[in-house]
Amino acid sequence: MSSSRHLPSRRTLAGLAAGALALGLLTACGGGSPDEPGKELVYWSMWKQGEPQQVALQAAITRFTRATGIKVSVEWAGRDVVKQKLPAALTTSKVPDVVDQSDDTIRPFMVTPGVARGLAQVYEADVPGEAGKKVKDVIPAKYLQSPALRLPGGEPYMVPYSVAGIGLFYDAATLTEPPPTDWNAFLALLGRLKAAGTAPLTADGEQYWSDSYWMNYYLYRTIGADGLKAIAEDRTGQSWKKPEVLAAARQIEKFAKEGYLLKGYDAGKYPEQQKNWAQGRAAFMIMGSWLPSEVGSYAKAGFRPASMPFPEVGGPAEGEEVVQFGFAMPVKAKNVEAGERFIAYMTTKTFADELARTASVLSPREDAYVPEALAGVKKQLDGVPATYPFAAGLSVPGWTDKVYYPTVGELFNGKLTAQGFVDKITAVQAAFWKNQGD
Amino acid sequence: MALAPEPRPGPAGRARQRAFVPMAAPALALLTVFVLGPACYAVWISLQQTAGYGESRFVGLRNYARLLGDPVFHTALLNTLKLLVIGGGVTFVTGFALTMVLREMRGRLVARNILFFPNIVSALVPAIVAGFLFNPDGLVNTVLRSVFGVSDPPKWLAVDNTFTLILIVAIWAAVGYYTTIIMAAVDRIPAYFYEDCALLGATSWQRLRHVTIPLSWDVFSVCALLWTISSIKVFELVLVFGGGTAGTPPSSTWTVALYSYAATYGGSGSPPELGMTAASALVSLLIAAAVVLLLRRALDREAVRF
Amino acid sequence: MRPTLRLTGLAPVRMAVWAVVAADVALLAWVLITSLKSTREVFDHPWRLPMPPTPDNYLTALEVGNFGRAAVNSAVVGVLSSLLAVAVAAPAAYALTRTTNRAGRPLTLLFALGTGVPTQVILLPIFLMLSSLELTSTLTGLTLAYVGTAMPFTVFLLTGFFRSLPGELEEAAALDGAGVWRTFLRIVVPVARPGLVTVFVLQLIVSWNETMLALVLMQDDEKETLPVALIGFAQQQQYTGTNWGGMFAGVCVVVLPMVVLFAWVGRRVTEGMTLGMGK
């Protein structure tokens, strides 16, 4: 029984292995011809091939290369670019020169570990093709001054190419009256909707980060973003006992327990509720301005997304929470000058318009095209004195996932009363800080 | 236990024994380089506070202390144990039962192969399908409402139930895997044992207890070992079920493996803490080792030969 | 040979089993059917047949999603790494079961414990090692990593396997004066073939679906494997909205080859799996 013929012999296997190794070495060393320094750069992007942002970026990159002769090798790496790919690359010498992501990803993964480069130089550069304008002139102060863009020393580490505000989105084709501006009028509207049989609100119950927008904004308006930050940093947790917190919790409890939320909001999986909203089963959804583009492919016919700002709740309202997407450079970048030129090139109005049009996003530039669905958010952001990231840039590892989101989530899903929420989050926060040690 | 040939005495035997070294060397080398070495590195990292790049600070056993005091880690440990014990129990009982049932069925091989199928698809598939099946307007509820007249179906996908769903999916895949193994093991029991049972008028329960289980015990104990280790590593299923690929699942559904992952990649706004990842992973490895040792003690029986 | 005893009253249980089997098949069929729908159809009519079925999703997946190249990468890395893993693990498992050295048992246990080491822990050290050898973003590097991380499971499974092989054949060969390697290759391996095939297929399945190492080790788009390409689609959910149809097409491209493979050699695999676990 000579069935040993069927199994590859040791020699064959060795040959295969050697062949594979040779192939691998060949491809690893192949690389490409060495270009002169300053004439090339490596850009790793958070977008994947085929996404609208990628289309706009690719067109701009082609123009950039034609205009400056700098060759850009771009990897359309996907959302994990700054979380997984960059950290691994930073332990080697093959570091990209430019990356992009949202500021709330770049800060924990690049700024806190100290590997983000300061980009003050970029802000002082001229915007190509726009006489007399520097980059710092076209990025409004409200974005530039935000803690979202700042290194601990104060220098900016990112140049944004798109900003996302948070609004209460609704269908302008169905809700034709002008949106209410204060909380009581808003509640009255919700009541009318409820009576007429439309669910006033919806949210994906298990996506705690989206549920917490209601709490975030109520607190921003009543105690300010810095106030929320201060509460989070209180090691005793007692600051949660402020009356403003209880007031906010009461409103959310009302939503959860009095049927303001679409039935089943706490029994589905993302993106179920977005779909329901886009198909007209619920009126309002509080979300970032990426919502219209996310639901585009399954919204009902004639759906016209529009948004209103968070209603006045009678607090010292200042500023807006904004997520900024933009370019950053690692400290170890090799082609620094080329990278800075690239980033400056991307602040032109041409690119801003193209990106806004293709991807339906808001540009930080005041003069850029504004997609119709985001006109409400733009208005909301105009004339605002300051913007900030979530909780004014709070940077306490684990607090959001272990203290804030789960407890707010329980409140939002109807499992806690308002007072119960206050008591629970005080205790959870105290336990959290105790465990953190010093 | 040795059906292997008797070691030959004298120089020929010693030459044979020496030849075994180069046979095992490559595998041992690879094991050291790719598994043991990195595991030791992980021990070192677990004593630091670092993002893996940038700065790092030696903190001794602080990470372990933080683990022990973290209620989220306690939940994760509990979930992992639930998976291990409940998942394992249900899987093996169902596996044996299925084996008994399938033996008598026509088309048993087809059935068995199809039951194995969940093990070859990515965890994304059941997660997405569950989203469509069990959402409030999904197929299951539609059927419940129209056919069975249930007006208020349970909230299948509520966060409270997510872990139960995860458990069910894990069991579903494991049943396919282990039934396959157990069935093949039981198939090898010679028929004359069963004929004797028939002659003695044994009930099916007695047959199970006195013939089937003892003669497949070896296989079962290896399976128990395999299940222990793989259940402690369950990670992708929890990630995809609870959070999709863009978000982190709610912390009430975490297993220890997901805790490790979140310490590096998943935290909202949290910088990566490789030290915590390594510490929690090592704790899970210790638990696996402890359970494995316990199992060996509990399941060790004189091998029944036939 | 099946026993002649009939277990009575099993009809409902048998039906339940066939129901589960049918559900598994239905699941696969649904994924397949949904991959032929546009995203809007997926949401509007998830349970109907596509009208008309469209291959657009597959085109998108192949071109834009890079699935064509990723499939080739996955196939090459999967087959090579599984072959190499078996080639290295088999002699080692054999040696560990036949040796009289006292180190034999603890070493086997070491391999067994190695299966418990989670990937996220060894990810960074492996990356550091491979990048110092300039092997990141190469298929070679990934293959090496897969072979290395396959050692615990493959050796462990194969030791059980070799331990159950009767020793008479080797006795006969030794009497004829055959050396260890000759005995192994010409006598033992052919008899052990079912087990080797089993381990090969199981390892192939693992490496086909492996995500973490591939994501971190492969920085280039060109060198992506299928699971990474699939994640690329799924992640578009955030900020641009998922292309659900495309994602289903991607899932099918990942799943179907495995289903076909298993339908073809499944019987051999499952038989082989148990041969090593007895005694």
Side-chain angles (χ1 to χ4, degrees), chain A residues 24 51 79-80 84 88 294 299, chain C residues 40 127 140 215 238-240:
Chain A
E51 296 196 88
R79 307 290 184 272
D80 284 330
Q84 296 199 348
E294 273 189 13
Chain C
R40 180 175 292 276
F127 177 84
T140 316
L215 188 64
Q238 191 188 35
Y239 305 136
T240 45

Side-chain angles (χ1 to χ4, degrees), chain A residues 55-80:
Chain A
V55 172
L57 279 164
Q58 182 64 66
I61 290 173
T62 316
R63 288 198 304 268
F64 172 73
T65 306
R66 229 183 305 133
T68 61
I70 299 180
K71 186 165 115 43
V72 180
S73 23
V74 52
E75 286 296 333
W76 302 108
R79 307 290 184 272
D80 284 330

Side-chain angles (χ1 to χ4, degrees), chain B:
Chain B
M1 200 88 59
L3 289 175
E6 286 289 310
R8 305 192 59 72
R14 281 199 296 276
R16 279 182 77 91
Q17 293 294 317
R18 271 201 304 273
F20 287 142
V21 174
M23 284 185 107
L28 272 170
L30 282 170
L31 179 76
T32 312
V33 167
F34 281 96
V35 179
L36 298 179
C40 292
Y41 182 82
V43 175
W44 169 242
I45 289 276
S46 74
L47 302 173
Q48 321 246 345
Q49 185 173 3
T50 173
Y53 52 98
E55 323 142 345
S56 75
R57 209 165 50 111
F58 182 79
V59 290
L61 293 174
R62 232 273 301 266
N63 287 329
Y64 291 96
R66 279 174 66 197
L67 272 184
L68 291 177
D70 188 352
V72 174
F73 187 68
H74 300 160
T75 313
L77 262 180
L78 197 63
N79 285 343
T80 309
L81 284 174
K82 274 192 214 164
L83 204 57
L84 173 60
V85 175
I86 301 178
V90 175
T91 300
F92 286 112
V93 166
T94 316
F96 265 110
L98 260 181
T99 304
M100 297 288 91
V101 172
L102 279 172
R103 307 202 69 216
E104 321 278 342
M105 283 167 59
R106 282 213 295 236
R108 53 204 280 270
L109 286 178
V110 172
R112 185 187 66 182
N113 283 1
I114 294 182
L115 284 174
F116 191 85
F117 146 75
N119 289 286
I120 54 185
V121 306
S122 131
L124 259 180
V125 173
I128 297 177
V129 173
F132 277 93
L133 269 180
F134 290 105
N135 66 40
D137 300 317
L139 189 65
V140 170
N141 283 356
T142 313
V143 167
L144 278 178
R145 273 193 214 108
S146 51
V147 175
F148 294 96
V150 176
S151 57
D152 204 12
K155 297 181 183 170
W156 306 108
L157 297 173
V159 177
D160 287 344
N161 297 333
T162 306
F163 191 71
T164 312
L165 267 179
I166 291 175
L167 198 56
I168 292 177
V169 174
I171 291 176
W172 172 57
V175 164
Y177 193 83
Y178 292 107
T179 305
T180 303
I181 299 179
I182 294 176
M183 206 163 107
V186 169
D187 272 356
R188 288 167 55 222
I189 298 176
Y192 53 79
F193 281 103
Y194 294 110
E195 284 156 17
D196 284 352
C197 283
L199 285 174
L200 290 170
T203 65
S204 33
W205 170 246
Q206 284 172 323
R207 194 179 71 164
L208 186 71
R209 230 190 114 208
H210 294 284
V211 177
T212 314
I213 292 187
L215 288 178
S216 53
W217 193 254
D218 272 331
V219 174
F220 168 65
S221 39
V222 173
C223 287
L225 217 103
L226 281 177
W227 168 254
T228 302
I229 291 179
S230 63
S231 68
I232 288 180
K233 291 200 326 189
V234 162
F235 149 73
E236 229 192 352
L237 185 60
V238 183
L239 181 69
V240 171
F241 235 89
T245 40
T248 317
S251 52
S252 59
T253 63
W254 286 6
T255 56
V256 177
L258 204 85
Y259 188 97
S260 303
Y261 175 85
T264 312
Y265 298 123
S268 315
S270 299
E273 295 186 290
L274 279 201
M276 292 294 276
T277 301
S280 52
L282 286 171
V283 169
S284 80
L285 186 57
L286 277 175
I287 296 175
V291 177
V292 163
L293 285 174
L294 271 171
L295 274 177
R296 288 207 103 134
R297 191 89 32 112
L299 298 177
D300 203 15
R301 278 192 193 184
E302 185 60 41
V304 182
R305 312 276 177 77
F306 52 75

Side-chain angles (χ1 to χ4, degrees), chain A residues 38-275:
Chain A
K39 278 300 179 181
E40 61 166 8
L41 83 98
V42 177
Y43 163 45
W44 288 2
S45 178
M46 69 184 278
W47 307 105
K48 286 293 259 184
Q49 288 265 18
E51 296 196 88
Q53 285 87 342
Q54 183 265 335
V55 172
L57 279 164
Q58 182 64 66
I61 290 173
T62 316
R63 288 198 304 268
F64 172 73
T65 306
R66 229 183 305 133
T68 61
I70 299 180
K71 186 165 115 43
V72 180
S73 23
V74 52
E75 286 296 333
W76 302 108
R79 307 290 184 272
D80 284 330
V81 63
V82 164
K83 277 199 212 178
Q84 296 199 348
K85 293 192 130 90
L86 180 65
L90 283 174
T91 57
T92 73
S93 58
K94 293 219 214 116
V95 175
D97 301 303
V98 179
V99 293
D100 59 3
Q101 247 289 4
S102 56
D103 73 274
D104 56 9
T105 308
I106 296 190
R107 265 176 302 120
F109 283 88
M110 287 179 74
V111 174
T112 311
V115 298
R117 173 178 274 277
L119 297 182
Q121 290 254 50
V122 180
Y123 280 97
E124 293 298 326
D126 295 317
V127 178
E130 293 177 30
K133 287 214 192 122
K134 292 193 186 287
V135 174
K136 67 182 181 195
D137 298 321
V138 296
I139 309 281
K142 66 186 176 218
Y143 300 125
L144 192 40
Q145 305 295 345
S146 163
L149 293 192
R150 303 261 148 198
L151 291 175
E155 206 185 332
Y157 68 88
M158 183 166 103
V159 177
Y161 57 71
S162 103
V163 295
I166 320 274
L168 267 72
F169 283 87
Y170 61 93
D171 181 11
T174 324
L175 218 69
T176 45
E177 56 190 77
T181 47
D182 77 83
W183 189 258
N184 291 327
F186 179 61
L187 277 185
L189 170 60
L190 296 186
R192 283 200 301 277
L193 287 166
K194 200 151 66 106
T198 315
L201 306 172
T202 189
D204 279 292
E206 92 284 9
Q207 299 292 326
Y208 294 155
W209 58 272
S210 73
D211 303 338
S212 70
Y213 280 145
W214 290 103
M215 177 66 79
N216 295 356
Y217 256 92
Y218 214 98
L219 291 180
Y220 290 157
R221 293 282 173 263
T222 50
I223 57 176
D226 289 317
L228 179 57
K229 182 159 184 277
I231 293 184
E233 290 170 343
D234 173 16
R235 301 179 78 96
T236 63
Q238 294 296 320
S239 348
W240 281 107
K241 301 211 156 122
K242 289 191 164 63
E244 291 92 344
V245 175
L246 190 59
R250 287 229 171 84
Q251 294 300 323
I252 296 180
E253 184 188 6
K254 195 179 158 86
F255 286 158
K257 301 209 167 142
E258 293 181 22
Y260 281 88
L261 287 156
L262 178 64
K263 189 155 186 294
Y265 76 99
D266 56 348
K269 259 171 124 284
Y270 174 86
E272 177 71 14
Q273 299 312 323
Q274 278 183 200
K275 180 199 84 168

Side-chain angles (χ1 to χ4, degrees), chain C residues 21-55:
Chain C
V21 171
D24 279 351
V25 175
L27 191 68
L28 189 57
W30 183 75
V31 173
L32 202 58
I33 291 175
T34 310
S35 70
L36 298 171
K37 294 183 185 167
S38 69
T39 301
R40 180 175 292 276
E41 254 193 294
V42 172
F43 274 100
D44 286 345
H45 310 293
W47 308 108
R48 282 195 230 155
L49 286 176
M51 233 107 54
T54 161

